[in-house]
Amino acid sequence: MDSGLRRNDEIMNDSILSGQLIEQFAVFVARITAATSTEELEALRLEALGKSGFYTRLKKELGKIADIEERKKSGQRFNEDAARIENELKIKKEELAKKEMEVRLRTETVDVTLPARLAPQGKIHPVTQVIEEITALLSDLGFVVAEGPDIEDDEHNFDKLNIPASHPARQMHDTFYLQGNGAGKTLLRTHTSPVQIRTMRAGKPPFRFIAPGSTYRCDSDITHTPMFHQIEGFVIDKNIHMGHLKSTINEFLKAFFELDEVPTRFRPSFFPFTEPSAEVDIGCSRANGELKIGAGQDWLEVMGCGMVHANVLKNCGIDPNEWQGFAFGMGVERLAMLKYGIPDLRTFFDSDARWLQHYGFDPLNIPNLVSGL
Ligand code: DAH
């Protein structure tokens, strides 16, 4: 590169100031030429042309030269030099930037043909998935989600639900009692029905909600785990009758199992908090050991339901002559097993990562209920 260096004979008549100019110009050009990085070059630029750089400082001195001719000459040289330094910096900067880019391109290559490293991915538990599905479907029918505590008391879990202390239904519930006696006795809720009581007492009719959540019973065998999940459904309004109950459940079951038809049977039953009460069976076939829902001669129980008992309404300060409605309750694991072909209930809570990989749901690709309600 042409460094722009001037030989000494060119400056025969220059003043001391000009001498400084010549000298520094040569030094700057040499240093610019030798610079090896853009950072170094930037430091040089500041040193030469920056606010307190050499040329900036010198410019102030120039005005002080008394001899007009001398001032003119020095001024001209100054302008030339400063412009050339600027130009040198520019050329070198481009050169260095190009070199630096070449180095980056050589060293920072990405091989797009390499297989992607698989990040471990979690799965959504079937219980969570089924709760989400049921919530989505029933919210289409105007149900909102209500909640209650897992640690309950006798009053909400039994008394207000029309299950008095002496009632045999209490024994059927295999309750985990926690502490205390009498009225203050706490327990792990044996069903989601206490949410009926809590929601009614906290608000005013009409009501239309579902209450999903964990429930607990002191029971453990092939078809029972001490902790399991239920979804309660509850509707109170004026003029609600069993026809509404039947159509809600029929439509829900078709949408949940994603079938055009699901035969149902409302079989008379007993629950202390409903009158009349029924258990809902769905039609299925068990031919060749394979369970098929929606067809065949067999029946399979999927939930309990009924018209909310007048005593339950009264217990919550609601006039049963003005308001009435229906309730239903279903087991989440049971519905998950039926829909997704999971054979063993106990495996739900083994925390086996291989089981979850197999039966769980991809969070980025969860099944969509095609039909909805
Ligand atoms: N709570 C009942 C149970 O755990 C299920 C149930 C049955 C809930 C009928 C209801 C209902 O709301 O109407 O066995």
Coordinates of all heavy atoms in Angstrom, one line a residue, residues 173 190-191 193 196 217 230 232-233 271 273-274 304-306 327-329, ligand 1:
H173 N -67.1 -45.6 51.9 CA -66.2 -44.7 51.3 C -64.7 -44.9 51.8 O -63.8 -44.2 51.3 CB -66.6 -43.2 51.6 CG -67.6 -42.7 50.5 ND1 -67.5 -41.5 50.0 CD2 -68.6 -43.3 49.9 CE1 -68.5 -41.4 49.1 NE2 -69.2 -42.5 49.0
T190 N -63.3 -38.0 49.7 CA -63.4 -39.3 49.1 C -64.1 -39.2 47.7 O -64.1 -40.2 47.0 CB -64.3 -40.2 50.0 OG1 -65.6 -39.5 50.2 CG2 -63.7 -40.5 51.3
H191 N -64.5 -38.0 47.4 CA -65.1 -37.7 46.1 C -65.1 -36.2 45.8 O -64.7 -35.5 46.7 CB -66.5 -38.3 46.0 CG -67.5 -37.9 47.1 ND1 -68.8 -38.3 47.1 CD2 -67.3 -37.3 48.3 CE1 -69.4 -37.8 48.2 NE2 -68.5 -37.2 48.9
S193 N -67.7 -34.5 45.1 CA -69.1 -34.0 45.4 C -69.1 -32.9 46.5 O -69.9 -32.0 46.4 CB -70.0 -35.1 45.9 OG -70.1 -36.1 44.8
Q196 N -69.8 -29.4 45.3 CA -71.2 -29.0 45.2 C -71.6 -28.0 46.3 O -72.1 -26.9 46.1 CB -72.1 -30.2 45.2 CG -72.0 -31.2 44.1 CD -73.1 -32.2 44.2 OE1 -74.1 -32.1 44.9 NE2 -73.0 -33.3 43.4
R217 N -59.2 -42.8 48.7 CA -59.9 -43.8 49.5 C -58.9 -44.8 49.9 O -58.0 -45.2 49.2 CB -61.0 -44.5 48.7 CG -62.2 -43.5 48.5 CD -63.4 -44.1 47.8 NE -64.2 -43.1 47.2 CZ -65.3 -43.3 46.6 NH1 -65.7 -44.5 46.3 NH2 -66.0 -42.3 46.1
Q230 N -61.6 -37.6 40.0 CA -63.0 -37.6 39.5 C -63.3 -36.2 38.9 O -62.6 -35.3 39.1 CB -63.9 -37.7 40.7 CG -63.9 -39.1 41.4 CD -65.0 -39.2 42.4 OE1 -65.5 -38.2 43.0 NE2 -65.4 -40.4 42.7
E232 N -66.7 -34.0 38.8 CA -68.1 -33.8 39.2 C -68.8 -32.8 38.2 O -68.2 -31.9 37.7 CB -68.1 -33.1 40.6 CG -69.4 -33.1 41.3 CD -69.6 -34.4 42.0 OE1 -68.7 -35.2 42.1 OE2 -70.7 -34.6 42.6
G233 N -70.1 -33.1 37.9 CA -70.8 -32.1 37.0 C -72.0 -31.7 37.8 O -72.6 -32.5 38.6
F271 N -77.7 -42.9 45.4 CA -76.7 -42.0 46.0 C -77.4 -41.1 46.9 O -78.5 -40.7 46.6 CB -76.0 -41.2 44.9 CG -75.2 -41.9 43.9 CD1 -75.8 -42.1 42.6 CD2 -74.0 -42.5 44.2 CE1 -75.1 -42.8 41.7 CE2 -73.3 -43.3 43.2 CZ -73.9 -43.4 42.0
F273 N -77.1 -38.2 47.8 CA -77.2 -36.8 47.4 C -78.0 -36.5 46.1 O -78.2 -35.4 45.6 CB -75.8 -36.1 47.2 CG -74.8 -37.1 46.7 CD1 -74.6 -37.3 45.4 CD2 -74.0 -37.8 47.6 CE1 -73.6 -38.2 44.9 CE2 -73.0 -38.7 47.2 CZ -72.9 -38.9 45.8
T274 N -78.6 -37.6 45.5 CA -79.5 -37.5 44.4 C -80.7 -38.3 44.6 O -80.7 -39.4 45.2 CB -78.7 -37.9 43.1 OG1 -78.0 -39.1 43.3 CG2 -77.8 -36.9 42.6
G304 N -71.9 -42.1 37.8 CA -73.1 -42.0 38.6 C -73.7 -40.7 38.3 O -73.1 -39.7 38.0
C305 N -75.1 -40.6 38.5 CA -75.7 -39.3 38.3 C -77.1 -39.3 38.9 O -77.5 -40.3 39.5 CB -75.9 -39.0 36.8 SG -77.0 -40.2 35.9
G306 N -77.8 -38.2 38.9 CA -79.1 -38.1 39.4 C -79.6 -36.7 39.5 O -78.9 -35.8 39.2
A327 N -76.8 -33.8 38.9 CA -75.4 -33.9 39.1 C -74.9 -35.2 38.5 O -75.7 -36.1 38.3 CB -75.1 -33.9 40.6
F328 N -73.6 -35.2 38.3 CA -73.0 -36.5 37.8 C -71.6 -36.5 38.3 O -71.0 -35.5 38.6 CB -73.1 -36.7 36.3 CG -72.6 -35.6 35.5 CD1 -71.2 -35.6 35.1 CD2 -73.3 -34.5 35.1 CE1 -70.7 -34.6 34.3 CE2 -72.8 -33.5 34.3 CZ -71.5 -33.5 33.9
G329 N -71.1 -37.7 38.4 CA -69.7 -37.9 38.8 C -69.0 -39.0 38.1 O -69.6 -40.1 37.9
Ligands
DAH1 N1 -69.7 -38.9 44.5 C1 -69.9 -40.2 43.9 C2 -68.8 -41.2 44.2 O1 -67.8 -40.8 44.4 C3 -70.1 -40.1 42.4 C4 -71.3 -39.4 42.0 C5 -72.5 -40.1 41.8 C6 -71.4 -38.0 41.9 C7 -73.7 -39.4 41.4 C8 -72.5 -37.3 41.6 C9 -73.7 -38.1 41.4 O2 -72.6 -36.0 41.5 O3 -74.8 -37.4 41.1 O4 -69.1 -42.3 44.1

